[in-house]
Amino acid sequence: MTKTADQRRGEERILYDAFMAACPTRQVFATIGDKWAGLVVNALADGPRRHGELRTRIAGASQKMLTQTLRTLERDGLVTRTVTPSVPVRVDYELTPLGHTLVPILAALKGWAESNIGDILQSREDYDAKVVAA
Amino acid sequence: MTKTADQRRGEERILYDAFMAACPTRQVFATIGDKWAGLVVNALADGPRRHGELRTRIAGASQKMLTQTLRTLERDGLVTRTVTPSVPVRVDYELTPLGHTLVPILAALKGWAESNIGDILQSREDYDAKVVAA
DNA sequence: CAGGATCCCATTCGATACTG
DNA sequence: CAGTATCGAATGGGATCCTG
């Protein structure tokens, strides 16, 4: 009976896993909270884009990450992928209706971020200054 | 002149770094898009909590991650950390006014997730079925 | 009770090279 | 042009032990 605490942790962890598996928010967060997904959705917000266009618009994303992100979004039904089998293949990505409903949410988040980034940066400076002093 | 493409990538990367450094949304996302930060903010939405309470409410977060997340949120000025030097130390965490303004945004995201999780899960099933078939 | 310090495994992501 | 495959570095995150 000495490991009661540890055992409890283990049980909590199992409960947590079950809870998480059923938690919609986290599952969704796993996709759209992704490093690139938000940028991609924004880049697609005002119309379809070709793969190459996205690479340009989201300069900095490696081709690997871009493809990977697009696959995830496609899997979740947020974007469609349309292949036109011409001579150099052409692939277009476009937001689905569901994907479009996400845009305002992201916009709200973006708005909040832009409104409060000043305070946050200031807070970080203060905090870091205090830590150095301590 | 043969490595033009590579060089362009490198230049894009530098521009990207500069852009990212100045992009408020991404900086904020780095904090609140974190695996645990959202849960913590939610757990604090309706009042201050002690460290131990948070551990219980967010069962599954290791103590390390909880502390780390709280530190980040504190640094960003979203929560306050109050130490009461009693015999067993007591530490309370509470959302700042700024932190509270984030709650509705998170709630919107949560609402969207809960509304659309069904479609998303269905889409994943369909997608996976197609992949297996291919 | 709160949380710092370590160890260590799993995943992420970028760079590079290759295919249709 | 779009995408896949592989490798290696970096990071995230959990388990454990220790302090005030």
Side-chain angles (χ1 to χ4, degrees):
Chain A
M1 291 297 251
T2 54
K3 298 188 59 180
T4 309
D6 287 358
Q7 289 174 346
R8 274 203 37 197
R9 287 291 166 214
E11 288 164 13
E12 282 177 3
R13 170 135 266 283
I14 292 171
L15 286 175
Y16 158 76
D17 286 340
F19 171 70
M20 288 306 246
C23 176
T25 306
R26 294 219 66 73
Q27 293 186 55
V28 171
F29 235 71
T31 297
I32 66 177
D34 177 79
K35 189 175 178 185
W36 303 108
L39 290 182
V40 171
V41 172
N42 261 311
L44 290 173
D46 51 358
R49 300 282 169 195
R50 298 188 51 179
H51 182 101
E53 290 181 291
L54 289 175
R55 288 211 57 172
T56 304
R57 276 179 79 112
I58 315 181
S62 67
Q63 162 271 353
K64 176 185 172 180
M65 281 304 99
L66 182 56
T67 299
Q68 185 174 300
T69 301
L70 286 166
R71 284 290 181 286
T72 304
L73 292 174
E74 187 194 359
R75 190 172 103 101
D76 282 8
L78 299 176
V79 310
T80 55
R81 177 169 175 272
T82 309
V83 181
T84 308
S86 46
V87 174
V89 190
R90 176 196 174 99
V91 181
D92 289 272
Y93 293 93
E94 183 174 11
L95 284 185
T96 63
L98 180 60
H100 273 295
T101 67
L102 184 57
V103 173
I105 311 277
L106 256 41
L109 200 52
K110 190 178 159 193
W112 187 89
E114 287 170 351
S115 300
N116 300 106
I117 185 66
D119 288 357
I120 291 177
L121 291 179
Q122 183 60 50
S123 177
R124 285 184 191 169
E125 274 185 40
D126 296 350
Y127 184 91
D128 292 346
K130 261 197 333 194
V131 171
V132 172
Chain B
M1 291 295 251
T2 56
K3 298 189 57 180
T4 309
D6 287 358
Q7 289 175 347
R8 272 203 37 196
R9 287 291 166 216
E11 287 165 13
E12 281 177 3
R13 171 134 265 283
I14 292 169
L15 287 174
Y16 157 77
D17 287 341
F19 171 70
M20 288 304 250
C23 175
T25 306
R26 296 220 63 76
Q27 292 187 55
V28 171
F29 235 70
T31 297
I32 66 176
D34 178 78
K35 187 175 178 184
W36 303 107
L39 290 183
V40 171
V41 172
N42 262 310
L44 290 173
D46 51 358
R49 300 282 170 195
R50 300 188 52 178
H51 183 100
E53 290 182 290
L54 290 174
R55 289 211 56 173
T56 303
R57 277 179 78 113
I58 317 183
S62 67
Q63 164 270 349
K64 175 185 172 181
M65 282 303 101
L66 183 56
T67 299
Q68 185 174 299
T69 302
L70 286 165
R71 284 292 179 286
T72 305
L73 292 173
E74 188 193 358
R75 190 171 101 102
D76 282 7
L78 299 177
V79 310
T80 55
R81 177 169 175 273
T82 312
V83 181
T84 309
S86 45
V87 174
V89 189
R90 175 196 174 101
V91 182
D92 289 271
Y93 292 94
E94 184 175 11
L95 285 184
T96 63
L98 179 59
H100 274 295
T101 66
L102 184 57
V103 173
I105 310 276
L106 257 40
L109 201 52
K110 191 178 159 194
W112 187 90
E114 289 170 351
S115 301
N116 300 107
I117 185 66
D119 289 356
I120 291 176
L121 290 180
Q122 182 61 51
S123 178
R124 283 184 192 170
E125 274 185 41
D126 296 351
Y127 184 91
D128 292 345
K130 260 196 334 195
V131 172
V132 172

